[in-house]
Amino acid sequence: MDGDRRKRFVELHREGCFLLPNAWDIGSARMLEAAGFPAVATTSAGIAFSLGRPDHDFFAEHGPAGRIDRDTMLRRVREITAAVAVPVSADLEEGFGEAPETVATTIRMALAAGAAGGNIEDFTGERARPLHDPALAVDRIRAARATVDAAGEPFVLVGRTDTLLVGGSVAESVERANAYLAAGADCAFVPGAADAATIATLVRELDGPLNVVMGLTGNALSLDDLRDLGVRRVTVGGSIARAMYRHLQRAAQELAQGTFTYAQDQLSQADLNDLFRPHQPDVG
């Protein structure tokens, strides 16, 4: 089953443009699957928030132990892959360690957890040097590629550069992303590229398919717009989870005032029960 799902996920990246929404637990993944998406991704932010932990920040803000550890993250990935029938791409952050060997182990664990793909980013979490040295970043992607090839399983490896998120230029983003593609990444991911001009430049200058993330702050570009620009894959990061937590915060604030109007827009118990009934096994 994992092999078939992985093949389907690879095929999604061959041409066109598709939306890959991000889940953080079994329930959110099942809801996205039920909406008809051909695959889902995990969001490290959503998983962290569901456990009451911070995500994607500098270590000085919350300490190195503040972010979710690899075993915890991969456990959630495994839970999600076991609960849905569609391919799942894992948010593997920076690979949970600097050394290429550590990244290789993370990729092996993602494969064992049933993931059909995964991203490795170059963000370090250190303010003095927010991105890994380019040569090391390339070695990390190369180690991930070698691990995938050795496993002999279809797997979409995504090289992510956080250059724009730390104040870098589009030119540096292109240079880093192309280096990651040359080192074996199947797709480049440049978070922070959200306007048409920047995205068009990346599509033109990159030597492989581009993933962009929408929903960081809300965006006027539609999926059709992104398709016309030449984007191959669109994710939404932790934006769905953040929107859910905003609703929770509003409900809590209203409850503190002693009213209950937040409940007027809830899903019914019956609808959720129907949605979350176990998948029926294939017959025939």
Side-chain angles (χ1 to χ4, degrees), residues 161-173:
T161 179
D162 283 16
T163 307
L164 296 179
L165 296 184
V166 300
S169 67
V170 175
E172 184 184 356
S173 298

Side-chain angles (χ1 to χ4, degrees), residues 9 12 18-22 32-33 36-41 86-89:
F9 194 55
L12 285 172
F18 72 101
L19 179 59
L20 181 68
N22 300 77
L32 294 171
E33 178 186 35
F37 292 102
V40 299
V86 295
V88 176
S89 185

Side-chain angles (χ1 to χ4, degrees), residues 26 41 66 70 76 101 128 135 149 152 168 172:
I26 292 172
R70 182 170 62 187
R76 183 65 62 86
E101 295 80 7
D149 291 346
E172 184 184 356

Side-chain angles (χ1 to χ4, degrees), residues 16 20 34 51 74 80 89 111 139 146 149 164 168-169 177 185 189 195 222 230 251 253 263 276 279:
L20 181 68
L51 296 168
L74 270 296
I80 291 172
S89 185
L111 283 161
D139 285 344
D149 291 346
L164 296 179
S169 67
F189 179 15
D195 64 276
S222 68
Q253 290 169 343
F276 292 145
H279 286 295

